[in-house]
Amino acid sequence: MILNKAEFLVVNNPLRDFIQEKYEIPILRKMIPADVQFETALEIGCGTGQGSGLIKKYFAPVKIEAIDLDDRMIGLAQKRNHDHAINYSQMDAAKLEFPDDHFDIIFDFAIIHHIPNWQDCIHELARTAKDGAFLLLEELSIESFSGIPGGLWKKILDHPYEKMFDFQELEDFLEATGFQILQTKYSNPLGLLKHISLAAKLKKTGV
Ligand SMILES: C[S@@+](CC[C@H](N)C(=O)[O-])C[C@H]1O[C@@H](n2cnc3c(N)ncnc32)[C@H](O)[C@@H]1O
């Protein structure tokens, strides 16, 4: 689902950029070894391009494919980053146009909870990742949109709530798809928004 006006403003502002660089990325960076080098990275739901710039800065892959369903986001991301190592494309994360066994590392900054058929997306991540690839994600779940602040977010933001996973369901589905979970960290800053940071490593069967 593309973002409604309220969420477009939440995502497309300097505070979001600050939180992503100073809070989210350091947690994820520490979850996987510092000495692994990456050739190819994928970022799903790249939004306005802040994440892909940070992936380049803190994970240094040779090439980054960054995709988003929303053309507006791709236009903004291309304006923000003029780096030949980053390629932006309009694409559905549940129907990736990349070959099997292609990526060394995949990033998801708060997008899978937007996808009604989120299971298809996780299958696509497993298909396009190499055996041994890392997955780093920052996600919300149906628990993020319950309780008092969560209920308020639910009123303001547009998501496929009926189809949305809870955190355990997300972890279980990742494991069932071959992503061995290395670390998780649950947070709820100021009691405002429950979310998970997670690192996993893909083990393909029959490889
Ligand atoms: C909450 S925003 C997060 C943007 C950015 N990753 C960030 O952390 O600021 C979710 C993004 O996912 C994109 N999106 C939603 N459904 C998608 C899908 N099926 N495939 C690719 N991108 C999708 C939206 O257009 C939006 O840019």
Side-chain angles (χ1 to χ4, degrees):
M1 280 174 73
I2 64 170
L3 307 188
N4 68 8
K5 267 191 196 153
E7 192 163 5
F8 187 84
L9 293 175
V10 169
V11 167
N12 193 13
N13 78 73
L15 180 62
R16 166 74 194 127
D17 295 354
F18 180 83
I19 291 171
Q20 195 170 15
E21 178 158 17
K22 302 297 176 199
Y23 176 70
E24 294 178 7
I25 292 276
I27 291 173
L28 293 174
R29 180 62 274 195
K30 285 191 202 117
M31 285 185 169
I32 61 170
D35 57 352
V36 182
Q37 293 193 333
F38 306 106
E39 275 286 316
T40 49
L42 169 67
E43 185 195 8
I44 55 168
C46 63
T48 58
Q50 162 79 354
S52 42
L54 296 174
I55 291 167
K56 181 82 190 294
K57 186 170 170 188
Y58 293 101
F59 296 86
V62 176
K63 175 90 189 163
I64 302 171
E65 295 287 350
I67 65 120
D68 201 286
L69 191 62
D70 188 342
D71 267 338
R72 292 175 303 172
M73 296 298 193
I74 295 299
L76 290 167
Q78 282 167 335
K79 259 193 206 153
R80 185 202 282 248
N81 292 320
H82 298 276
D83 185 330
H84 292 303
I86 309 175
N87 186 42
Y88 294 102
S89 323
Q90 191 275 332
M91 204 181 291
D92 183 351
K95 215 174 171 188
L96 292 173
E97 297 161 35
F98 298 109
D100 296 355
D101 308 320
H102 190 65
F103 294 107
D104 297 301
I105 185 161
I106 295 180
F107 296 85
D108 154 31
F109 298 113
I111 152 191
I112 298 179
H113 70 282
H114 281 270
I115 307 181
N117 53 332
W118 55 273
Q119 297 93 334
D120 292 346
C121 171
I122 292 174
H123 278 302
E124 280 293 83
L125 302 186
R127 178 185 69 77
T128 55
K130 292 177 185 166
D131 183 44
F134 289 99
L135 170 67
L136 291 181
L137 66 79
E138 188 72 37
E139 266 304 335
L140 308 181
S141 80
I142 197 66
E143 289 110 318
S144 316
F145 301 101
S146 60
I148 293 174
L152 192 62
W153 286 119
K154 192 172 178 179
K155 283 209 171 88
I156 301 171
L157 310 176
D158 212 6
H159 292 106
Y161 298 108
E162 299 302 316
K163 305 261 169 97
M164 200 180 284
F165 45 80
D166 62 37
F167 288 122
Q168 192 57 54
E169 217 176 334
L170 176 65
E171 285 196 40
D172 290 347
F173 198 84
L174 286 168
E175 292 270 10
T177 318
F179 287 102
Q180 296 174 343
I181 295 176
L182 304 173
Q183 274 198 59
T184 55
K185 179 177 163 62
Y186 284 92
S187 317
N188 190 11
L190 307 174
L192 288 176
L193 197 61
K194 292 177 191 156
H195 66 274
I196 185 173
S197 309
L198 179 150
K201 193 170 182 172
L202 184 64
K203 175 79 191 109
K204 292 206 167 183
T205 50
V207 178

